[in-house]
């Protein structure tokens, strides 16, 4: 055989041998694919994470075979040597999560939960707990590891599913006991949660992570440990405070509280497993369910380690607004239909906290707390503001005269403060901030103003000396016409407020709408008694009298007697106030500008600590610049007096 022939046969044989020895080949991957692969797991992709697959391969377990027989995988992972405790616990937490999800997807009635599923979630939470607090390293030693974030997610999700599953099973079975679930002994601790009065068991327990909202610009939450939930409590009262069930219904029966505590409080729930060693934790059947208010608690001690507590600060608020029906109710109120409101109600946005300052928000005409959708959410989304403020929203009948609403809102606020802080010593009862939009801004100004006898004197002058001598009539007029600034209020933010009225209220369409507005019977009676007495005392009073029965649009006119008098009332000296004004007419001088409804000259107030002009229409409170300005003002209020800007 020639040399050429030998080379011709030897070269392919050598190439084949070399190829057989090349056990590793290489490919390139872009960062997006690399990160997706490294961070994918049973919760994000439905597939086991690369870390768990790695653990299985170390023990000679094929991932596909393991998925076909998860219990066998559990046993092998639990008993075989070759893995560190961290690897073992993390992988078992993910496998139990997988098993629970399979049980969740088993054929059953939609939305139903099973005991097997809940048991699997408890096991997933147990092994994640063991990973964090009973393996070789502390959580702080793994602070930058993707795997620890994954296991935290297994724990949080497992707690969420276990707790809501036990709650659902209990709801459908009166004999079920949350204190005993299968072989588990479960104790509960709700001492860290302020529940609404006379409420102990919520009607629903909803995972906050499952809720998505349109209308909310952002959803704010805090990363950490625990299941983020919204507890939904049923209002057992025959109607919400202030709601009239018929257009001509009078306020009767025992007086209702002028406030409503949050019926959609945010909760964060953790499960604590008994045991002081890894073996004890893995063999225990004792677990504690503990709930916290994430507004009050930011850190918790778990497994002798202080860890951040998870929290969701938008979902409860969003769910409340979504279920409120405010938009329809506000319009029914304006035209006096049934199921409208006849008196103000103070809505607490989160459980009352005596150690937080209070922000009181007042909406405008034909509106409701929905006017503050993003304002309230953005304020509570700011960590510093959330730690220092709580929000109360005033929902009041916008068809009522300003004088009646001013009186009724004052009473509602004072009664609410008295209820929660009878001694008046809490931080929540001092340095209140009023934030009012449009007509709510006019009311906010009245709440911080002193009449100093001006209102009553003006009425007496208009109706003659005979009425001035009528002590009974003066007594009836005084609560509506004579008042002092609320002593608890130290600041106010007026947004697009027609302090001097607006000629828009005189336009044909506004007058047509005004004619549609109907006052409930109870309001007619309150003011009717006064106006009849005045008419008898002085027949010369015409239709434009200060105390004829006006509606809200009448009061917003720049020719209205009440508004013109109120515009000249002095604001209390100790109140620091700010103006936010819309400008929808950028091509005219500022003094002649308007937001489309309220002219600048009516919204401007001399002496304001600050004034911001926003190029937007009358709904300027929803503009991002206005919200940033509100947040700036609230931050500034937290500074020492000598540092305030």
């Amino acid at each position: 055989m020639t040399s050429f022939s030998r080379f011709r046969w030897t070269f392919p044989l050598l190439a084949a041998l070399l190829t057989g020895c090349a056990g590793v080949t290489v490919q390139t991957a872009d960062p997006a694919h690399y990160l997706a692969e490294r961070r994918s797991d049973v919760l994000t992709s439905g597939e086991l994470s690369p870390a768990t697959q790695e653990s299985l391969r170390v023990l000679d377990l094929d991932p596909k075979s393991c998925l076909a027989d998860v219990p066998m995988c559990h046993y092998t992972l639990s008993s075989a040597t070759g893995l560190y405790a961290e690897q073992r616990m993390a992988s078992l937490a993910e496998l139990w999560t997988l098993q629970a999800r399979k049980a969740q997807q088993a054929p059953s009635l939609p939305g139903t939960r099973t005991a097997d599923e809940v048991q699997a979630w408890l096991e997933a939470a147990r092994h994640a707990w063991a990973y964090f607090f009973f393996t070789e390293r502390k959580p702080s030693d793994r602070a930058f590891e993707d795997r620890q974030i994954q296991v935290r997610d297994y724990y949080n999700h497992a707690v969420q599913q276990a707790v809501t599953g036990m709650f659902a099973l209990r709801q459908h079975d009166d004999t079920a006991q949350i204190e005993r679930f299968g072989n588990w002994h479960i104790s509960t601790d709700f001492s860290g949660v302020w529940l609404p009065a006379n409420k102990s068991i919520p009607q629903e327990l909803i995972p906050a992570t499952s809720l998505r909202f349109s209308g909310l610009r952002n959803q704010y939450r805090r990363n950490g440990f625990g299941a983020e939930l919204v507890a939904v409590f049923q209002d057992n009262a025959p109607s919400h405070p202030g709601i009239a069930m018929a257009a001509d219904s009078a306020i009767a029966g025992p007086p209702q509280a002028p406030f409503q505590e949050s019926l959609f409080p945010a909760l964060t729930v953790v499960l604590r497993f008994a045991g002081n060693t890894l073996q004890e934790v893995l063999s225990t059947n004792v677990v504690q369910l503990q709930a916290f208010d994430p507004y009050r608690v930011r850190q918790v001690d778990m497994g002798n380690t202080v860890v951040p507590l998870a929290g969701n600060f938008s979902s409860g608020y969003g769910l409340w607004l979504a279920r409120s029906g405010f938009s329809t109710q506000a319009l029914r109120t304006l035209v006096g239909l049934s199921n409208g409101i006849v008196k103000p109600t103070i809505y607490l946005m989160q459980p009352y906290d005596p150690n937080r300052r209070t922000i009181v928000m007042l909406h405008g005409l034909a509106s409701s707390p929905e006017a503050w959708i993003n304002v309230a959410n953005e304020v509570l989304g700011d960590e510093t503001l959330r730690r220092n403020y709580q929000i109360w929203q005033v929902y009041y009948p916008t068809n009522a005269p300003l004088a009646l609403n001013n009186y009724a809102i004052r009473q509602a606020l004072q009664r609410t403060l008295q209820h929660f802080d009878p001694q008046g010593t809490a931080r929540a009862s001092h340095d209140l901030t009023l934030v009012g939009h449009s007509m709510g801004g006019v009311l906010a100004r009245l709440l911080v103003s002193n009449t100093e006898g001006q209102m009553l004197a003006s009425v007496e002058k208009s109706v003659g000396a005979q009425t001035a001598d009528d002590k009974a009539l003066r007594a009836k007029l005084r609560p509506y016409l004579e008042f002092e600034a609320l002593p608890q209020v130290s600041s106010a933010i007026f947004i697009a407020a027609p302090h001097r009225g607006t000629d828009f209220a005189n336009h044909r369409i506004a007058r047509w709408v005004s004619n549609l507005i109907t006052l409930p019977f109870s309001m007619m009676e309150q003011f009717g008694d006064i106006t009849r007495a005045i008419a008898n005392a002085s027949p010369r009073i015409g239709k434009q009298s200060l105390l004829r029965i006006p509606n809200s649009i009448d009061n917003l006119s720049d020719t209205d007697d009440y508004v013109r008098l109120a515009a000249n009332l002095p604001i209390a000296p100790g109140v620091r106030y700010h103006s936010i004004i819309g400008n929808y007419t950028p091509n005219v001088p500022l003094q002649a500008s308007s937001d489309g409804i309220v002219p600048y000259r009516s919204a401007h107030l001399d002496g304001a600590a600050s004034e911001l002009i926003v190029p937007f229409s009358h709904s300027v409170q929803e503009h991002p610049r206005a919200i940033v300005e509100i947040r700036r003002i609230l931050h500034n209020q937290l500074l020492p007096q000598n540092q305030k800007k």
Side-chain angles (χ1 to χ4, degrees):
M1 181 178 295
T2 66
S3 298
F4 176 78
S5 298
R6 284 196 302 271
F7 178 79
R8 186 179 64 179
W9 290 104
T10 302
F11 182 79
L13 180 61
L14 182 61
L17 289 172
L18 289 174
T19 303
C21 294
V24 176
T25 60
V26 63
Q27 295 178 328
T28 58
D30 62 77
H33 282 91
Y34 169 77
L35 291 175
E37 289 174 359
R38 293 302 306 168
R39 296 177 182 176
S40 69
D41 64 4
V42 69
L43 291 179
T44 60
S45 66
E47 303 291 334
L48 292 175
S49 65
T52 294
Q53 293 187 43
E54 179 182 286
S55 296
L56 294 176
R57 286 192 292 268
V58 167
L59 300 179
D60 195 27
L61 292 171
D62 176 55
K64 291 185 178 179
S65 301
C66 197
L67 292 179
D69 191 352
V70 176
M72 179 273 295
C73 271
H74 287 158
Y75 175 78
T76 305
L77 271 171
S78 300
S79 57
T81 59
L83 296 176
Y84 291 109
E86 279 187 19
Q87 296 172 292
R88 192 187 311 278
M89 294 303 106
S91 298
L92 283 167
E94 185 171 10
L95 279 169
W96 276 113
T97 299
L98 177 64
Q99 183 165 326
R101 295 189 71 181
K102 285 188 172 183
Q104 199 174 43
Q105 297 164 4
S108 61
L109 292 175
T112 58
R113 310 296 293 271
T114 66
D116 287 345
E117 174 203 336
V118 173
Q119 294 268 24
W121 287 123
L122 287 170
E123 290 293 347
R126 180 218 296 266
H127 286 85
W129 172 272
Y131 164 88
F132 275 105
F133 308 116
F134 293 93
T135 54
E136 295 89 350
R137 295 185 293 168
K138 298 178 180 179
S140 58
D141 297 330
R142 300 182 293 246
F144 298 102
E145 295 183 11
D146 292 341
R147 188 54 164 168
Q148 178 157 272
I149 300 300
Q150 287 180 324
V151 180
R152 183 208 63 189
D153 290 344
Y154 303 153
Y155 175 82
N156 289 354
H157 188 68
V159 172
Q160 175 198 98
Q161 294 299 315
V163 172
T164 56
M166 287 186 286
F167 178 82
L169 290 170
R170 182 177 180 180
Q171 290 287 89
H172 291 91
D173 183 1
D174 293 336
T175 65
Q177 298 292 322
I178 197 170
E179 293 79 12
R180 184 66 183 249
F181 192 89
N183 294 324
W184 290 94
H185 296 272
I186 302 174
S187 62
T188 57
D189 179 5
F190 284 84
S191 61
V193 177
W194 183 303
L195 299 176
N198 303 318
K199 310 287 185 186
S200 58
I201 303 298
Q203 185 181 21
E204 299 176 71
L205 207 54
I206 301 174
T209 54
S210 69
L211 299 173
R212 298 292 181 273
F213 302 97
S214 60
L216 279 182
R217 198 170 295 147
N218 295 303
Q219 285 189 250
Y220 289 102
R221 59 178 305 277
R222 180 176 61 221
N223 288 324
F225 277 83
E228 304 157 27
L229 304 174
V230 179
V232 180
F233 290 91
Q234 186 174 13
D235 184 14
N236 296 323
S239 65
H240 289 294
I243 293 180
M245 300 310 292
D248 62 347
S249 65
I251 302 173
Q256 288 184 305
F259 60 87
Q260 185 176 93
E261 296 182 76
S262 173
L263 296 179
F264 296 79
L267 305 178
T268 301
V269 177
V270 300
L271 292 177
R272 301 175 183 274
F273 295 85
N276 296 315
T277 66
L278 179 61
Q279 190 55 45
E280 288 177 359
V281 169
L282 295 179
S283 60
T284 189
N285 61 352
V286 176
V287 62
Q288 182 191 46
L289 186 160
Q290 191 170 16
F292 297 95
D293 178 351
Y295 286 95
R296 297 188 183 197
V297 181
R298 294 187 296 142
Q299 295 179 321
V300 290
D301 190 332
M302 297 174 65
N304 297 319
T305 303
V306 176
V307 297
L309 183 74
N312 194 300
F313 308 104
S314 297
S315 292
Y317 176 57
L319 190 61
W320 172 65
L321 287 176
R323 295 189 179 183
S324 67
F326 282 143
S327 56
T328 301
Q329 191 181 75
L331 291 175
R332 297 182 71 85
T333 296
L334 191 65
V335 296
L337 295 178
S338 61
N339 293 320
I341 62 171
V342 296
K343 57 183 179 179
T345 298
I346 313 297
Y347 284 94
L348 280 63
M349 294 295 92
Q350 62 260 17
Y352 172 76
D353 188 340
N355 298 315
R356 280 179 168 80
R357 291 175 59 170
T358 304
I359 301 169
V360 179
M361 295 183 173
L362 299 100
H363 59 78
L365 177 69
S367 190
S368 72
E370 287 186 325
W372 304 111
I373 288 176
N374 285 299
V375 180
N377 187 52
E378 294 296 316
V379 168
L380 295 180
D382 183 309
E383 174 68 21
T384 299
L385 298 183
R386 184 169 63 241
R387 289 167 56 186
N388 287 279
Y389 292 98
Q390 58 194 324
I391 294 178
W392 296 0
Q393 294 199 19
V394 182
Y395 186 27
Y396 65 94
T398 62
N399 56 350
L402 285 172
L404 178 57
N405 270 326
N406 174 44
Y407 173 77
I409 291 171
R410 286 169 174 272
Q411 297 298 311
L413 280 172
Q414 294 288 25
R415 287 178 59 197
T416 302
L417 290 167
Q418 175 69 20
H419 172 85
F420 288 106
D421 182 23
Q423 304 302 318
T425 57
R427 190 185 186 203
S429 298
H430 299 276
D431 293 321
L432 273 69
T433 298
L434 303 182
V435 183
H437 172 248
S438 191
M439 187 165 72
V442 177
L443 286 165
R445 187 183 188 281
L446 292 175
L447 294 173
V448 295
S449 298
N450 296 313
T451 58
E452 300 177 344
Q454 295 181 43
M455 287 281 203
L456 190 56
S458 179
V459 173
E460 291 174 349
K461 182 178 179 180
S462 69
V463 301
Q466 183 180 1
T467 303
D469 294 334
D470 188 334
K471 293 183 179 180
L473 181 57
R474 285 170 60 91
K476 291 179 179 179
L477 290 174
R478 186 172 295 278
Y480 301 102
L481 298 179
E482 290 302 313
F483 45 84
E484 295 180 350
L486 290 176
Q488 299 92 340
V489 177
S490 63
S491 61
I493 304 173
F494 307 123
I495 306 174
H499 299 295
R500 300 173 185 83
T502 169
D503 62 357
F504 185 85
N506 306 322
H507 292 180
R508 181 188 303 174
I509 293 178
R511 299 316 308 162
W512 177 74
V513 173
S514 178
N515 291 333
L516 294 178
I517 294 177
T518 303
L519 300 182
F521 178 77
S522 56
M523 292 183 194
M524 295 287 288
E525 281 296 292
Q526 281 180 275
F527 270 73
D529 185 37
I530 295 173
T531 52
R532 281 192 297 271
I534 294 177
N536 291 334
S538 178
R540 296 169 306 190
I541 296 175
K543 290 184 178 180
Q544 296 304 314
S545 167
L546 178 68
L547 280 176
R548 76 181 185 82
I549 307 179
N551 59 42
S552 49
I553 290 185
D554 293 330
N555 274 164
L556 293 181
S557 169
D558 55 7
T559 63
D560 181 77
D561 292 326
Y562 188 90
V563 161
R564 294 174 71 176
L565 280 172
N568 296 317
L569 295 177
I571 293 176
V575 175
R576 183 181 175 93
Y577 55 95
H578 309 259
S579 296
I580 298 175
I581 301 171
N583 184 356
Y584 207 54
T585 54
N587 297 322
V588 302
L590 181 61
Q591 291 295 326
S593 68
S594 164
D595 64 14
I597 293 179
V598 176
Y600 172 82
R601 63 180 180 274
S602 181
H604 169 78
L605 287 177
D606 292 336
S610 67
E611 179 180 276
L612 176 69
I613 309 299
V614 180
F616 201 65
S617 61
H618 186 59
S619 297
V620 66
Q621 84 281 4
E622 281 286 294
H623 194 282
R625 292 191 198 174
I627 296 174
V628 169
E629 174 69 357
I630 293 169
R631 289 170 61 169
R632 182 196 69 79
I633 293 169
L634 294 174
H635 273 281
N636 192 53
Q637 291 179 169
L638 300 175
L639 297 174
Q641 191 64 36
N642 61 353
Q643 295 182 24
K644 292 185 178 181
K645 303 173 183 178

